[in-house]
């Protein structure tokens, strides 16, 4: 019973996954709202996409990270942590999602800012359905991994 | 005084909420008053009660007006006993016997009312509903109107209504016969003939009431002029509507009154607009002008006006037919709306038919019978529906009698058989119909067919809706709609306080709803049962009460409503136009500026707008130039902003100026502009900053920005690099760079769309200008794109001419501002994808900053739930826009289609042209999102899949080979033609900009135009016979046969006309007869025909006249005039002509026969 780095990773991942679950739920709600007509897609994409605020005259681009990017970064972050902690199984389980995130980001439609969603195409039924499905799948994945991390954490704590 | 009485009655009857058909959207005030008694008084006060009237003057808010209307209905109720409605049961003195005693103790007025029920004058309801457009009003009548209204002036504005006298008016009219008689409108006289007006009576009535709006083209001729005047006068907004008044024309007290079917005082319907007008018109002159400009022309005499002083501005303006007998009235109306001078366009005549006939012939049999059995309880409205609706109509006794009249419910079997006849494409060669294809008619009952939306406006790829998605998948055909919602057409315009809509899905009432009984209607989209509001019970067409199914909304599938303030987020914007002009060296070289300025100068008076119209100019090269045109300056002032990284607006209120006030300065600027930059050496183009400036300039109002650009933007935000590799132009592999290089233009367009700014792009470039990126600015702000490759004012006169014509149309065409379009469809169907220029704001809502009559939209649909429980599927497109006169209007189109469960029925109802167009739109999306070759494969697969699906569905098919149903026999040909279009072709050298432009066209052109681009019509002109010729006016328009697009059909001794939509080619064979060349082209011999001939001389020979009549006829059917080229067999221009012969093999594409073989092979795989 010792507090190893691996145990720390699991604890951190546990907390962060809780945040990711929140993000996923938020994502689902956002698209549902869009589908049922409560929000204008421009507003929606602005909140879903990280927005770039240009501060006048100062050539400083401040990236206000909003939702999608933080999610990807968080996930990437604890994948790296698991790599460092040599938790190969856990890392292996997370790799598909990591790969998906990379693919998703490289094939994003918007060009001048780090967003994923294009307000002009998002209302297309296919894309909308895809985004909703994506949200549900991620929610399921994060929920499962939440319990897996919980189990992993206890296992590490107990076994060492 | 009588008014109160009526209102009470109404309340007691329980109509209560009905008046608020709009549901949530309806102005709250409507609900209130109707439901509770106390509130009801206010309305009464409106009309009669003095105490309230003070309130009114101030009440310009449209929302409140409805109340007044409701009162009107009551009045009309009184007549019910006479009228052919079930209500008639009531004894005359107390027609409302049914009325619960709960009716509040009638105030004095009530007493009055009861005493003289009969005399209760049927108010002339007239045109009030139909805001009938001034267009029809003949000049003579117009003159009368001012006079009419003069009276009101004496009792300025508001006082008119509220004034006690007004109420008294009603009372008095009953008692005093004389005045009433005079007041009565001509149409009424007609009615007085007595017993419930049979068809004849109604007919005229409708005519008088329903005037046609002549939009766009139709306006030409004298009519247009008059309308312009109206607008100008009336302009300050709502005022024009007063005309409603229709008049308090009462009918004569003669015994015939009882017989009359209706009438409610038109003046009550004065509606919001009417009131506003009143209040606004404080001066006599104002009052006079208001009515004149009033859109409504209703039927009443001048006398009326004089009599009804109280009615004042409201009272109806006289209508065309006031004193004349009905038949004349009709004629005159028709004449007015279709001036002889109007070109004999097929289009127009077709459209005209439905409406002009409207009154009677058009009426479904069921309706016609209705009046015959007045006592039989509610006339047949239920029957109106097709078989599917019958269950609802069961309760009504008259059903059995009427059912016979429905007839034809099951469609026309023979046609279906023909549509499904298997055609082996590999064997049958001659597939083209002799005349261009017509849209197939949905297989619904003839009654519904008559009222269904015109296929030119609203078309579905499958005119028989498959019941389930599974069935649709089996058919392998795309399901979608093609819409041309704002096209120029004539349609009934309705002004009503309450726009009746379904409470849950907000569908506008339409011809396909079911009336369960007098008081309820069932929505045809969501099947909710709604109440019929009181106001709706009164029918302005027949002037009868209790026949909601005869209202124009329920008789026309295309109607336009004048919207109330409920439909405004802000006061309607004025027409605002900003012209952004490229004045760099390149632009000066191309020489478009002179042409543009000349065109604008010529058309300055024809630009749609009113007195609030504002214009502005902005030019740019490497800097942005603004022009101060404020009234009072001696000459235009140029302001240069050189900080293009952070563009600012140098002066806020002087750059966009009122066109009327600053007309001279604008003219001066336009005259001097071309010379100002003639020496420019600036080669850079700061388009991005100029657009940003335009956005800032227009943000407060919204409006239209017209951008003229001649080169690649090279400076500031949104600068672009050349991406085209000329060596790749004919590459058969993929085509790169079909998408935008930057999203600057897209984002700006979205911002513009949010501020109701539409951007139209004119690209006049001789070199690559990256249209793929630039077009985004128009695409997402609902603008349009025009492209003139190799434009040069000297070297390319053909493009110059095209530019001139396009500009003329562009500047003068109708425009709608701050528009949104919502497409609703029957429960179970949903919208999948939209195609066109717009921003999709919600799953069914398009945001259109500007809407123009030349852009069309396509919509892909999917079937979510089975449609098994209904026999009809309906689609409704509602376009809400602000007209250039500052009126908020809603144009509603409703399309009804049968639902079928058999695959063969689905095939029989396929609309091959619509399918091809939708497929083209889908292919273009695919080529941008994936790749061109993907898109091409998908298109070919569509043909293969369809043929396979058909073969597998028809099990007993004996033939082998490529078999398709006859109705789809042209599908493979169209698919091949699609593959050979500039947009999708590979292997042939195509400039990237031209390809992208072709894609834009596919997305926005209306179907007929698209089909002509895709598969041009080829005719032989030198041996035209008069067989089957059309006789329009006094011209004979020959109708030559369509020919296959193959070199086989061309012969050396002939002359052939190819109609490619935007261009005509006249191909002259080497051995073409001397007579044709001499009589038509005016040249002695073939050799002497100039190679760049671009028009046909007006020769007086019979052959020339026929050819020109035919050309003119073709031309009249399209919005933009087409250019004309004479192509000699040996000229270099031949290639442009030959590339349209899609059935032939080219170096890079297969022939039609090879293509069929290919499809056949693919099928057997």
């Amino acid at each position: 019973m010792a507090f190893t780095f691996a145990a720390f990773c699991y604890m951190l991942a546990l907390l962060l996954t809780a945040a990711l679950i929140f993000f996923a739920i938020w994502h689902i709600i956002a698209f549902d709202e869009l589908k049922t007509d409560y929000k204008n897609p421009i507003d929606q994409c602005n909140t879903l996409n990280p927005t770039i605020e240009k501060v006048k005259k100062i050539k400083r681009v401040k990236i206000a990270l909003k939702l999608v990017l933080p999610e990807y970064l968080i996930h990437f972050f604890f994948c790296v942590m698991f790599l460092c902690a040599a938790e190969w199984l856990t890392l292996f389980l997370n790799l598909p999602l990591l790969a998906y995130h990379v693919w998703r980001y490289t094939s994003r439609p918007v060009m001048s800012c780090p967003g994923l969603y294009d307000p002009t195409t998002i209302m297309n039924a296919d894309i909308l359905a895809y985004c909703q499905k994506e949200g549900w799948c991620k929610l399921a994945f994060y929920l499962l991994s939440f319990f897996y991390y919980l189990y992993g954490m206890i296992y590490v704590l107990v076994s060492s | 005084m009588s008014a109160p009485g009526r209102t009470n009655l109404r309340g007691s009857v329980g109509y209560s909420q009905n008046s608020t058909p709009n549901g949530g959207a309806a102005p709250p005030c409507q609900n209130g008053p109707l439901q509770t008694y106390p509130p009801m008084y206010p309305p009464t006060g409106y009309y009669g009660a003095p105490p309230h009237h003070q309130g009114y003057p101030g009440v310009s808010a449209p929302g409140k007006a409805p109340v007044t209307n409701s009162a009107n209905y009551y009045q009309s109720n009184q007549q019910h006993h006479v009228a052919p409605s079930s209500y008639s049961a009531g004894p005359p003195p107390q027609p409302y016997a049914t009325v619960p005693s709960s009716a509040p103790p009638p105030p004095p007025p009530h007493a009055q009312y009861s005493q003289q029920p009969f005399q209760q004058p049927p108010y002339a309801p007239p045109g009030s509903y139909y805001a009938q457009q001034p267009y029809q009003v003949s000049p003579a009548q117009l003159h009368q109107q001012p006079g009419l209204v003069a009276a009101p002036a004496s009792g300025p504005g508001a006082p008119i209504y509220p004034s006690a006298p007004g109420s008294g008016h009603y009372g008095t009219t009953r008692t005093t016969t004389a005045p009433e008689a005079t007041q009565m409108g001509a149409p009424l006289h007609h009615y007085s003939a007595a017993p419930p007006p049979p068809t004849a009576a109604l007919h005229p009535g409708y005519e008088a009431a329903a005037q046609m709006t002549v939009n766009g083209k139709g306006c030409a001729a004298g009519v247009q002029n008059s309308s312009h005047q109206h607008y100008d006068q009336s302009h300050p907004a709502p005022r024009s509507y007063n005309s409603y008044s229709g008049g308090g024309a009462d009918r004569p007290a003669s015994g015939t009154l009882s017989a009359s079917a209706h009438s409610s005082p038109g003046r009550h319907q004065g509606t919001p607009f009417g009131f506003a007008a009143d209040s606004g018109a404080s001066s006599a002159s104002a009052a006079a002008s208001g009515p004149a400009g009033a859109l409504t022309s209703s039927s009443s005499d001048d006398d009326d006006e004089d009599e009804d002083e109280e009615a004042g501005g409201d009272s109806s303006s006289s209508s065309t037919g006031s004193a004349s007998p009905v038949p004349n009235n009709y004629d005159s109306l028709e004449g007015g709306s279709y001036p002889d001078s109007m070109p004999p366009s097929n289009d127009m005549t077709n459209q005209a038919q439905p409406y002009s006939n409207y009154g009677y012939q058009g009426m479904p049999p069921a309706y016609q019978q209705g009046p015959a059995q007045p006592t039989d309880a509610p006339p047949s409205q239920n029957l109106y529906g097709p078989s599917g609706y019958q269950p609802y109509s069961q309760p009504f006794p008259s059903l059995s009698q009427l059912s016979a009249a429905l007839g034809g419910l099951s469609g026309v079997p023979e046609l279906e058989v023909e549509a499904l006849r298997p055609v082996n494409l590999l064997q049958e060669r001659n597939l083209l119909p002799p005349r261009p294809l017509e849209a197939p008619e949905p297989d619904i009952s003839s009654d519904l067919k008559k009222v269904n939306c015109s296929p030119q406006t609203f078309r579905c790829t499958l005119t028989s809706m498959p019941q389930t998605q599974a069935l649709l998948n089996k058919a392998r055909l795309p399901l979608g709609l093609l819409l041309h919602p704002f096209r120029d057409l004539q349609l009934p315009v309705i002004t009503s306080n309450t726009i009746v809509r379904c409470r849950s899905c907000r569908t506008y009432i339409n011809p396909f709803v079911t009336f369960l009984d007098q008081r309820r209607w069932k929505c045809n989209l969501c099947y909710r049962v709604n109440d019929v509001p009181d106001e709706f019970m009164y029918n302005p067409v027949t002037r009868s009460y209790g026949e909601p199914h005869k209202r124009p909304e329920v008789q026309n599938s295309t109607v336009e409503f004048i919207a109330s303030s409920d439909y405004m987020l802000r006061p309607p914007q004025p027409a605002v136009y900003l012209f952004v002009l490229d004045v760099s060296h390149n632009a000066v070289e191309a020489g478009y500026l002179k042409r543009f300025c000349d065109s604008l100068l010529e058309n300055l008076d024809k630009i749609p707008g009113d007195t609030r119209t504002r214009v502005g100019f902005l030019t740019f090269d490497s800097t942005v130039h603004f022009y101060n045109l404020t009234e009072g300056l001696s000459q235009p002032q140029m302001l240069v902003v050189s900080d293009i990284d952070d563009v600012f607006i140098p002066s806020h209120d002087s750059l966009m100026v009122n066109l009327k006030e600053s007309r001279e300065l604008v003219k001066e600027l336009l005259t001097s502009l071309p010379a100002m930059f003639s020496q420019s050496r600036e080669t850079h183009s700061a388009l991005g900053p100029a657009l940003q400036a335009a956005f800032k300039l227009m943000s407060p109002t919204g409006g239209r920005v017209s951008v003229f650009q001649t080169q690649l933007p090279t400076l500031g935000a949104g600068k672009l690099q050349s991406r085209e590799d000329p060596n790749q132009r004919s590459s058969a592999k993929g085509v790169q760079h079909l998408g935008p290089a930057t999203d600057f233009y897209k984002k700006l367009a979205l911002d513009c769309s949010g501020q109701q700014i539409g951007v139209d792009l004119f690209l006049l470039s001789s070199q690559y200008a990256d249209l793929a990126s630039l077009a985004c600015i128009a695409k997402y702000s609902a603008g349009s794109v025009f492209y003139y490759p190799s434009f040069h004012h000297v070297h390319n006169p053909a493009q110059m001419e095209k530019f001139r014509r396009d500009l003329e149309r562009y500047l003068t065409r109708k425009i709608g501002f701050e528009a949104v379009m919502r497409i609703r469809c029957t429960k179970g169907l949903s919208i999948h994808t939209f195609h066109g220029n717009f921003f999709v704001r919600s799953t069914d809502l398009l945001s259109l900053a500007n809407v123009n009559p030349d852009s069309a939209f396509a919509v892909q649909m999917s079937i979510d739930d089975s449609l098994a429980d209904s026999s009809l599927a309906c689609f409704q497109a509602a376009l809400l826009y602000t007209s250039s006169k500052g009126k908020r209007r809603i144009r509603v189109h409703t399309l009804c289609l049968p639902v079928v469960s058999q695959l063969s029925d689905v095939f029989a109802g396929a609309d091959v042209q619509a399918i091809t167009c939708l497929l083209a739109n889908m292919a273009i999306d695919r080529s941008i999102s994936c790749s061109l070759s993907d898109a091409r494969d998908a298109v070919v697969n569509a043909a293969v899949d369809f043929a396979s699906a058909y073969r597998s569905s028809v099990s007993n098919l004996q033939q082998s080979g490529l078999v398709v149903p006859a109705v789809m026999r042209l599908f493979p040909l169209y698919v091949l033609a699609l593959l050979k279009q500039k947009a999708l072709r590979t292997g042939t050298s195509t400039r990237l900009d031209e390809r992208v432009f072709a894609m834009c066209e596919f997305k926005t052109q209306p179907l007929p135009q698209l089909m002509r681009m895709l598969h041009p019509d080829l005719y032989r002109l030198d041996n035209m016979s008069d067989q089957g010729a059309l006789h329009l006016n006094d011209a004979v328009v020959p109708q030559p046969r369509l020919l296959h697009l193959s070199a086989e059909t061309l012969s050396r001794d002939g002359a052939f006309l190819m109609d490619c939509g935007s261009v005509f080619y006249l191909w002259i064979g080497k051995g073409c007869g001397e007579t044709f060349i001499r009589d038509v082209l005016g040249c002695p011999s073939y050799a002497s025909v100039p190679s760049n001939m671009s028009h046909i001389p007006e020769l007086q020979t019979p052959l020339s006249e026929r050819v020109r009549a035919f050309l003119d006829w073709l031309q009249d059917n399209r919005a933009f005039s087409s250019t004309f080229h004479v192509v000699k067999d040996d000229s270099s221009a031949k290639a442009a002509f030959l590339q349209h012969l899609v059935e032939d093999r080219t170096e890079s594409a297969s022939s039609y026969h090879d293509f069929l073989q290919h499809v056949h092979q693919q099928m057997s795989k």
Side-chain angles (χ1 to χ4, degrees), chain B residues 257-341:
Chain B
L257 282 180
S258 61
S260 71
H262 18 303
S263 59
S264 76
R267 65 173 81 106
H268 299 270
Q269 296 176 355
T271 79
F273 294 105
F275 285 111
D278 286 348
S279 58
S282 57
S283 73
S285 64
S289 67
L295 295 181
T296 343
S297 65
S298 52
S299 54
S300 66
D301 302 347
D302 313 271
D303 295 346
D304 284 346
E305 301 297 338
D306 295 341
E307 299 270 353
D308 300 356
E309 291 189 359
E310 312 90 322
D314 274 23
S315 69
S316 77
S317 50
S318 68
S319 77
T320 50
S322 61
S324 62
V326 174
N328 289 344
N329 188 357
Y330 174 77
D331 288 347
S332 66
L333 277 177
E334 194 177 49
S337 48
Y338 309 115
D340 292 342
S341 59

Side-chain angles (χ1 to χ4, degrees), chain B residues 131-136 142 145 212-216 219 223-241 289-296 493 560 562 607-613 660 814 881 883-889 891:
Chain B
Q132 288 314 342
Q133 302 316 342
Y135 303 102
Q136 283 198 336
L142 293 178
Q145 292 179 348
M212 315 283 172
T213 320
V214 182
N215 292 335
C219 287
V223 175
Q224 193 178 24
N225 294 338
S226 62
S227 68
H228 279 298
Q229 294 175 353
H230 287 309
Y231 280 119
D232 290 345
Q233 292 174 348
S234 61
H235 165 257
R239 178 177 306 159
S240 54
Y241 287 99
S289 67
L295 295 181
T296 343
V493 177
E560 189 155 294
I562 306 287
I607 293 181
D610 52 25
T611 52
R612 296 187 301 163
T613 304
K660 205 178 165 199
K814 228 171 116 73
Y881 67 98
S883 75
S884 50
K885 315 285 183 212
K887 306 264 162 18
R888 203 76 173 133
R889 289 172 165 234
R891 186 174 287 196

